Amino acid sequence: MELTRRDAVAALAAIGGAGGAAYGYSRLRDDDSPEPSSPSDEHVLDTMQAVAEVVYPSELSGREAFVEEFASARLATDDHGAGIREAVAVLDDHTDTWYDEQFVSLPAVVRENALENLGADVADEDPTGSTAERVRYYLVNELLLALYSSPTGGKLVGIENPQGHPGGIESYQQGPDALDR
Amino acid sequence: MTDRTPVSDASVCVIGAGPAGALVADSLAADYEVVVLDAGPRFDPDERVDRQERAIRPYYDRPDVWEMGGPRDDHDASGEWFYPLNHARVKGIGGSTLHWQGMVMRLHEDDFNSGSARGVGPDWPIEYEDLRPYYARAERELGVAGADDNPYGPPREQPYPLPAFPPSYSDSLFAEACERLGIDMHSVPNARNSEPYQGRSQCVGYGTCQPVCPSGAKYDATVHIDSAERRGATVIDRAPVQYLEHGPERIDAAVYATPDGEEHTQQAEAFVLACGGVETPRLLLLSASETYPDGLANTSGAVGRYFMDHLFAGTGGVVDERTRQNHVGFYTSSSQQFYDEADEEFAPIKLEFFNYDGPSPVETALSADEWGDDLLGRLREDYGNHLGIGALVEQRPQAESYVGLGEETDNHGNPVPDVHWTVDDRALRTIERANRIQERILNELDAEITWQVGPDGTGPAYHHMGTTRMGTDPTDSVVDPECRTHDLDNCWIASSSVFPTGGAVNPTLTIAALALRTADAIDRSLDS
């Protein structure tokens, strides 16, 4: 199944300008922790593409354009964008320590191990939490939220109008055959 | 800078900008100087999509969506049954309609005569016929989508303003089973636009109605606050009323705090308390004086007493076919067949056929311990075969179920509300009865039952009722049949707190109808 830029636009329409995330990040910045180093937008987007390769199902095509469209818009929001950048920075710190490489520089097969080693697979998302919880919130769940609230991501599972997507009031009335139309 | 200073020469001061306060304010604003005070903020409509993200993401709890919680909203729950108050309400312009599901049924005729017809609680001092024209007005004001196809509902006089939402695919599965069992299904009145209505969009199917509708298709009370302001009303947000200054027969002023740490005094000829079934009695208790040592307007001792909610009963399972759940966040079919079988032994029951049973794939994904192909496999396995039936059940009014003042204090030093909630045996028996009906329907569908909420696991539907009950006798009720307090000549209460009994339908349409009726009473009083 193919993801499109229209899916990305739909996901952005569904979850908007990241005000929910801003709520968490603003609280994070109230503490005395040092300002994290801020990676470039290009590096952040490359990292999100690399994370998406791990967390998205293999039968999807069109992943790169979808992630670029969605992640660029989310990165452009002030508070939430800062949270994403910081999550990339702490993920890189982790892989530097364990693998002597930034996350994007790792072989694809090692990236999944790196995220699991960090605990991002079993962590609860938390924008103010541990490294694993922040990576889960700003990178892993950011991408899963975009995918599974989009029409194509929903159809993968069997629902054309997933929660968060303004897909109208026809599909709830239709039977399972509607998925094949 | 926002001006939060009092309005001079105000005729009417409304406290609370939820649906009751908004409708009263809107009804009176063209003819009187009206000021509305609300404890919470005025939310930016453009942020609703962001709030939807909070509703979906697992990090955020329900109160986070509309910024409930913290010292402003601290509360106690000293009763046998815990009451999660901040899950149950929103403070702000629009009140709890910002997070409600938007289901709007009329009470049944016998609900107004519960004592004489069912032997439970008092009769209301008004009849269904007294409220009937106001129900019709309320349906037009809220924009109710419905159909006159409920053979068990009270008599109607005119169509709903909007056509009903068509039944869902899963409704059609239930319908086959219910027909075989002799259970009648019918449509559900929704305060949600099935077509564009009065400048608001048709429902677009975001699926997060409860707790937030980004499109504005679901009615919320900002509609009537906006209208009241266009008619000249003044609405002051973030202005929690601390107490009511009063003499023996009249309220003189509402003393409210503002974010700059100041206190202001709003005078008016008439005061309308519209702060819901918890904050309304709390404000009266906080306004105790030498004249009213047990709380303002509390000569009867009934302020805060008889706290009721609706109890939830539910059963769900999985079947060997696709059921198409979670496309929308509201339900489209119900059954009130068992409602008027109520008596002393069993309470009224309203059945709800869910369109959102089982997991929402996106929410499952965000909490899963897998990703990639493993996650997709799990989502496909988990989603798609669920069916669920809910029910609301009436709770008997009991003096020992009450809203009082807690031992802790809020950010202004006032004692917090204490919801001391108890549930009666009739309600618990009725939950079991609802479960048995639900099981029969699911068994008829050959469903494997996977969950059930029975008497041991039941919880509240977040409908706060009964704490300033209506009656004709000043010794056992707080307000008269026109919702004016027995004790004070210029104080009205617009809220489900005036319900003497609760029935088993969602209360907001009755709140709205009573608010419109109360506005007429205030108009007559001021006019005279």
Side-chain angles (χ1 to χ4, degrees), chain A residues 160 175-181:
Chain A
E160 317 90 288
D177 293 348
L179 264 175
D180 303 324
R181 291 175 201 152

Side-chain angles (χ1 to χ4, degrees), chain A residues 14 20 27 125 137 168 171-172, chain B residues 52 57 59-60 166 204 327 373:
Chain A
R27 292 199 300 183
E125 67 164 21
Y137 186 96
S171 71
Y172 85 88
Chain B
Q52 179 175 251
R57 277 189 178 264
Y59 173 71
Y60 302 98
V204 295
H327 290 244
D373 292 340

Side-chain angles (χ1 to χ4, degrees), chain B residues 502-523:
Chain B
V505 296
N506 308 52
T508 301
L509 191 72
T510 304
I511 294 171
L514 283 171
L516 293 168
R517 187 169 176 271
T518 301
D520 282 356
I522 295 168
D523 184 26

